[in-house]
């Protein structure tokens, strides 16, 4: 079965950095666009960043552009989210998601989801 397992979350001070990883198994990874979403308490799950199948095209939400970088390694079946200059408003559970096909920013278009990893940014 398909599994997406996130890691790398934790507690960090404002201005700090974290690198999230998502290990995928049970799917032909290079056939899937990948996305990172986040959900803060009491709020909807929203797109943070997405990357196409080859890694040649990316999308970033305006709130993270210039601070976060998404990348993937198809040989390792992994996608990453490098987060820098973190702010308290970045505090959320971060989810990795896989979509069979083109890059998408739409929550409902993703086929598989990880269990999430907590990121907490203290002020």
């Amino acid at each position: 079965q398909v599994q997406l397992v996130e890691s790398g979350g934790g507690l960090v001070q404002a201005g700090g950095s974290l690198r999230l990883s998502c290990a995928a198994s049970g799917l032909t990874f290079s056939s899937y666009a990948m996305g990172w979403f986040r959900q803060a308490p009491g709020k909807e799950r929203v797109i943070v960043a997405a990357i196409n199948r080859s890694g040649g095209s990316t999308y970033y939400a305006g709130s993270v552009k210039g601070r976060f970088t998404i990348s993937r390694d198809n040989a390792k079946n992994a996608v990453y989210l490098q987060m820098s200059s973190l702010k308290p408003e970045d505090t959320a559970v971060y989810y990795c998601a896989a979509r069979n096909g083109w890059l998408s920013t739409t929550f409902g278009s993703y086929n598989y989801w990880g269990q999430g990893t907590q990121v907490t940014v203290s002020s």
Side-chain angles (χ1 to χ4, degrees), residues 38-41 87-94 118-122:
R38 68 186 181 188
Q39 187 167 18
K87 304 175 181 180
E89 51 263 43
D90 294 317
T91 295
V93 177
Y94 283 71
Q118 177 71 47
V119 171
T120 303
V121 184
S122 63

Side-chain angles (χ1 to χ4, degrees), residues 5-9 19-23 36 78-82 96 117:
V5 180
E6 302 97 336
S7 61
R19 187 191 193 215
L20 304 184
S21 299
C22 173
W36 284 99
V79 63
Y80 309 99
L81 186 68
Q82 177 67 48
C96 168
T117 186

Side-chain angles (χ1 to χ4, degrees), residues 15-43:
S17 298
L18 281 175
R19 187 191 193 215
L20 304 184
S21 299
C22 173
S25 60
L27 75 173
T28 304
F29 186 71
S30 59
S31 295
Y32 285 76
M34 300 298 295
W36 284 99
F37 291 74
R38 68 186 181 188
Q39 187 167 18
K43 296 190 176 181

Side-chain angles (χ1 to χ4, degrees), residues 31-35 47 49-60 70 72 99-106 109-110:
S31 295
Y32 285 76
M34 300 298 295
I47 185 82
I51 190 166
N52 72 343
R53 291 170 290 185
S54 68
S57 180
T58 56
Y59 165 86
Y60 295 95
I70 188 171
R72 67 188 295 161
R99 181 181 189 273
N100 191 349
W102 304 108
L103 184 157
S104 172
T105 62
T106 305
S109 69
Y110 282 77

